[in-house]
Amino acid sequence: MMDPHPNGSKAHETKSSAEKSLPHPASEETRRAALRKIATLPLLGAGATVSLVHSFEETNLLANENWQNQDENASIQGESGATRTTFKPPKKPRLKEKVPMSRIGNVNVSRMILGGNLIGGWAHARDLIYVSDLVKAYHTEQKVYETFYLAEECGINTFLGHYSLFKMVENYWKWTPGKIQFIADCGAAPENLLDTIKHAIDVGAVACYIQGETSDRIVREGKVDLFTKAMELIRANNLPAGIGAHRIETLRAVVDTGCSPDFWMKTFHNHDYWSAQHPHEHDNVFCRKPEETREFMAAREEPWIAFKVLAAGALRPEQAFRYAFEGGADFICVGMYDFQMVQNANTLVNVLGGTLARERSWKTPTLDPKELRRQERENSRAEAQKERNS
């Protein structure tokens, strides 16, 4: 198996000081409801319930593990107990060039990161009640592997999602040549946050961050000392530590505590789409104060990953990507289907290659592609030598 951490990190083999097996969170109706009801997100499972009150997010994905028939001579196969998997890499994409890389801490990260909501089944759909079932039916395990692999072919080397999705990433490493790395969304009730972070570290994340709704809730409940404790725990395990938020008030409260993460995660999009103008909010606005977000981040020295940049599919990528980078984001996290990947990668390259009206300086420089290829060759040789010696 190839090293899934191309920067030389072996985080997936390094356990934190936590106990090796932590209790998993209890299942709830929806991801949002889980956070509101003092529970963490469920692990992958077969059941799912649609909430008609909140965001129609599916709590469990990948229940359907139907495999497509493939040409075995052009496939990669593996067996695990009674399960036999077959992976056929998708066709090589037609790219202008690959998505550029930068760094967060000691980790090489693509400027565009693959978001985990669609992989995890948490699809924002406004008031369309069939969408969660549609996403669930589309994202078979085979399709998820194809999506990861195509992302890497486009230069997207990082997947960001809830830590419970790590098993899918681990199986992807096992059954395919892919080595996409994993930034863990540590969404949990405040009282479970530190144990959740320990679990995310143990399963192999290359970075961890406090999920946005969790941060919002920590501030709302006045438990802000958790931010410092969480940052210390993540850094003690030699990983970059991040703080996310949906509300700008949350980030202001974090700064007031004196806590400083290694990176920020903040929603960021404009309101130039129809449903944002609706008088009643219903899973349709994710960055309520984009101009205040821009101003706040302008004063921060840490890298910023902007997410929900497409307003959950309401904005066109060329508009949304430009808005995010001109607003100061260093990276964008984008939920994508496989059929959107190549176009989004080419759009991002076009945006970054053009003229940007950007005032905030880039907090992390773009890495030289030639140097990255040299590092990859060295890592491959080291891995081959390790296999020969074993």
Side-chain angles (χ1 to χ4, degrees):
M1 172 181 167
M2 298 180 67
D3 182 5
H5 301 285
N7 306 304
S9 167
K10 304 297 286 186
H12 60 297
E13 295 178 358
T14 303
K15 301 298 181 182
S16 73
S17 57
E19 303 223 350
K20 301 304 180 186
S21 59
L22 293 171
H24 292 305
S27 178
E28 290 286 342
E29 291 180 349
T30 68
R31 180 170 178 259
R32 291 180 181 273
L35 293 170
R36 292 190 176 103
K37 295 178 182 178
I38 318 180
T40 58
L41 281 171
L43 299 185
L44 298 179
T49 303
V50 175
S51 168
L52 299 182
V53 177
H54 300 302
S55 63
F56 307 109
E57 294 182 349
E58 194 69 43
T59 55
N60 297 311
L61 183 67
L62 308 173
N64 183 353
E65 296 187 355
N66 295 326
W67 294 95
Q68 301 174 8
N69 293 324
Q70 302 286 353
D71 178 2
E72 294 188 1
N73 293 325
S75 304
I76 298 163
Q77 300 175 25
E79 294 188 13
S80 175
T83 302
R84 183 172 183 272
T85 65
T86 303
F87 175 74
K88 184 176 182 180
K91 293 180 179 179
K92 196 170 185 65
R94 293 185 177 182
L95 297 172
K96 292 177 66 68
E97 58 186 80
K98 288 190 174 184
V99 171
M101 295 273 181
S102 188
R103 289 179 73 81
I104 296 178
N106 60 352
V107 182
N108 291 350
V109 178
S110 47
R111 290 284 188 196
M112 181 159 62
I113 298 166
L114 177 61
N117 270 12
L118 295 178
I119 301 297
W122 305 301
H124 294 280
R126 278 72 177 181
D127 57 352
L128 299 177
I129 61 176
Y130 64 87
V131 174
S132 57
D133 284 340
L134 180 63
V135 172
K136 185 177 172 182
Y138 184 78
H139 273 134
T140 63
E141 192 167 354
Q142 173 75 11
K143 178 56 68 176
V144 172
Y145 292 175
E146 291 172 0
T147 303
F148 285 165
Y149 195 87
L150 183 57
E152 292 195 79
E153 288 289 290
C154 291
I156 301 167
N157 76 330
T158 303
F159 170 65
L160 186 152
H162 188 255
Y163 79 91
S164 62
L165 298 176
F166 177 76
K167 188 62 178 177
M168 182 62 64
V169 180
E170 186 176 49
N171 285 339
Y172 171 73
W173 294 342
K174 184 175 183 180
W175 303 128
T176 83
K179 51 187 179 181
I180 200 165
Q181 59 193 7
F182 184 58
I183 294 179
D185 158 351
C186 296
E191 60 269 27
N192 297 328
L193 177 61
L194 297 182
D195 279 349
T196 299
I197 290 171
K198 292 172 185 176
H199 197 113
I201 292 168
D202 285 348
V203 298
V206 297
C208 296
Y209 81 99
I210 305 175
Q211 186 259 4
E213 288 166 333
T214 297
S215 295
D216 294 340
R217 179 173 169 180
I218 288 171
V219 170
R220 188 167 62 248
E221 296 182 1
K223 301 176 180 178
V224 293
D225 61 317
L226 276 173
F227 290 118
T228 298
K229 292 178 181 178
M231 298 301 98
E232 290 175 349
L233 173 59
I234 297 167
R235 288 167 175 157
N237 287 273
N238 300 313
L239 301 184
I243 294 176
H246 292 77
R247 298 179 179 272
I248 190 61
E249 294 82 4
T250 297
L251 297 191
R252 292 190 181 115
V254 171
V255 170
D256 288 344
T257 69
C259 180
S260 178
D262 297 313
F263 65 96
W264 300 94
M265 285 279 297
K266 176 64 179 71
T267 52
F268 190 57
H269 62 76
N270 63 29
H271 294 171
D272 190 19
Y273 57 97
W274 182 86
S275 64
Q277 314 307 320
H278 196 279
H280 302 292
E281 186 175 326
H282 185 78
D283 196 34
N284 60 314
V285 177
F286 313 95
C287 182
R288 296 169 182 84
K289 300 175 180 178
E291 288 306 314
E292 291 186 29
T293 296
R294 180 195 297 257
E295 293 172 7
F296 175 88
M297 293 308 303
R300 308 272 69 79
E301 290 301 318
E302 303 82 15
W304 168 27
I305 303 173
F307 71 109
K308 290 289 190 290
V309 296
L310 296 173
L315 294 168
R316 294 187 179 278
E318 54 269 27
Q319 172 196 1
F321 296 175
R322 177 173 296 279
Y323 185 84
F325 287 120
E326 290 189 339
D330 299 288
F331 303 85
I332 57 175
C333 180
V334 183
M336 291 176 277
Y337 295 98
D338 58 333
F339 56 83
Q340 298 170 315
M341 198 81 63
V342 175
Q343 182 177 352
N344 282 352
N346 285 334
T347 298
L348 180 132
V349 167
N350 285 337
V351 168
L352 292 181
T355 302
L356 285 175
R358 180 186 174 99
E359 296 180 0
R360 184 175 186 256
S361 63
W362 294 96
K363 301 307 176 182
T364 57
T366 299
L367 300 175
D368 181 359
K370 292 182 180 179
E371 175 61 20
L372 287 171
R373 287 194 292 271
R374 186 190 66 78
Q375 291 178 13
E376 289 175 359
R377 288 194 297 270
E378 287 185 358
N379 290 339
S380 295
R381 285 195 291 268
E383 184 67 24
Q385 185 62 47
K386 181 179 177 181
E387 289 181 359
R388 286 194 293 270
N389 295 338
S390 61

